[in-house]
Amino acid sequence: MIWFVGAGPGDPELITVKGRRLLRTADVVLFAGSLVPQALLRWTRPSCELHDSASLTLAQQVAIMAAADTAGKRVVRLHSGDPSLYGAVGEQMRALAARHIRYSVVPGVSSFLAAAAALPAELTLPGVSQTVIIARQPGRTAVPPNQEIAALAAHQATMAIFLSAGRLAETCAALRTHYPPETAAAVVQRVTWPEQVVLRGTLASIAQQAEEAAVDRTAMVLVGEALRNDGDASMLYDPTFTHSYRRPPDSTRELGDQKTGPPDLRTDGLRDDQLISPTKDTCRDDE
């Protein structure tokens, strides 16, 4: 069984509980050495095989995973952020499927979400933007027609732009075809890593700010007026907005044996075997 696991943006504490459990019990782990912090690998067992995928081709990675699977070993393919975004995970899935090897995916915290937290900002601010567009500039991987940055900018939604910090001036020029130059923009490099850098500015200034800070890679670009945190209040907590968990202020609950209000979500509906219990795995650097 092959597990594709999202490692999160960098901070080891941002991996999911399930992802950490799989690392603790893995026999083989493949990871991108330049993007996955070494602290995560300390949760593997001393007997676990570790393979840095940075120097490996797709065929070599699949060969390692296939051989381990044939031997009955548990394999974790550890991806930075979330595997579903710019993780080249699709080609690995196709290769495994062609060999009739089972696989599953454990999601992770994406760098664009971690960057929003670092600012901090709500990307879907009522009255400003209810849409987030995830995009990138073309590189060795082409961008399909009609998905260029300039075309997507026509929506004037919040944008999260991956893999484009090295072409930031060009990116900002494309965005300004539809966004005003004073539109809020931010660049967050190495988000949640100890060396994290956060730059806040506008489309008119952010490229120069990044150049002066020598930020040209491993950085997330966020654009949109939602970054200012200046919008309308949502209806979610408005006193006039009612739902099954919240009644109008002047309503009275039925008395008697009938249960009212929301259920206790701590354990309702969970069997004993579904509750999380501490693992007893022996790790390289157990806490």
Side-chain angles (χ1 to χ4, degrees), residues 66-267:
D69 182 73
T70 299
K73 297 179 179 180
R74 173 176 285 181
V75 180
V76 168
R77 177 62 172 98
L78 193 59
H79 280 265
S80 62
D82 182 90
S84 69
L85 294 174
Y86 306 113
V89 70
E91 61 205 55
Q92 298 173 68
M93 292 177 179
R94 291 192 297 271
L96 293 173
R99 291 163 175 79
H100 305 288
I101 297 174
R102 293 187 306 128
Y103 58 85
S104 188
V105 180
V106 178
V109 177
S110 175
S111 58
F112 87 93
L113 299 172
L119 291 177
E122 179 181 353
L123 302 182
T124 53
L125 199 61
V128 179
S129 178
Q130 291 292 282
T131 301
V132 178
I133 297 175
I134 298 171
R136 61 162 295 176
Q137 284 279 23
R140 294 182 181 179
T141 300
V143 171
N146 302 319
Q147 294 183 20
E148 296 89 355
I149 296 292
L152 298 174
H155 299 282
Q156 293 194 3
T158 304
M159 290 189 69
I161 305 174
F162 285 71
L163 305 169
S164 303
R167 302 171 60 183
L168 192 52
E170 178 186 345
T171 300
C172 289
L175 291 166
R176 288 199 300 269
T177 59
H178 292 286
Y179 290 93
E182 64 272 15
T183 300
V187 173
V188 185
Q189 184 183 49
R190 286 283 190 177
V191 63
T192 76
W193 290 66
E195 61 269 30
Q196 171 181 288
V197 175
V198 178
L199 303 175
R200 300 174 180 83
T202 67
L203 281 180
S205 68
I206 198 67
Q208 181 64 33
Q209 291 173 253
E211 182 179 354
E212 292 173 355
V215 172
D216 62 358
R217 66 189 64 192
T218 326
M220 173 58 55
V221 180
L222 296 176
V223 176
E225 285 300 281
L227 304 185
R228 300 188 189 279
N229 280 336
D230 185 12
D232 300 331
S234 73
M235 291 298 296
L236 182 60
Y237 300 113
D238 189 283
T240 64
F241 180 65
T242 62
H243 46 71
S244 59
Y245 289 92
R246 187 171 69 235
R247 310 247 179 114
D250 57 349
S251 68
T252 58
R253 293 181 175 177
E254 297 179 10
L255 301 178
D257 295 332
Q258 183 177 355
K259 184 177 181 180
T260 61
D264 183 350
L265 299 180
R266 291 172 296 178
T267 57

Side-chain angles (χ1 to χ4, degrees), residues 7 10 29-41 50-56 61 77-80 190 193 195 218:
V29 173
L30 289 84
F31 64 99
S34 61
L35 299 174
V36 172
Q38 291 292 314
L40 284 174
L41 302 178
L50 301 178
H51 298 271
D52 188 344
S53 63
S55 62
L56 301 176
Q61 294 177 52
R77 177 62 172 98
L78 193 59
H79 280 265
S80 62
R190 286 283 190 177
W193 290 66
E195 61 269 30
T218 326

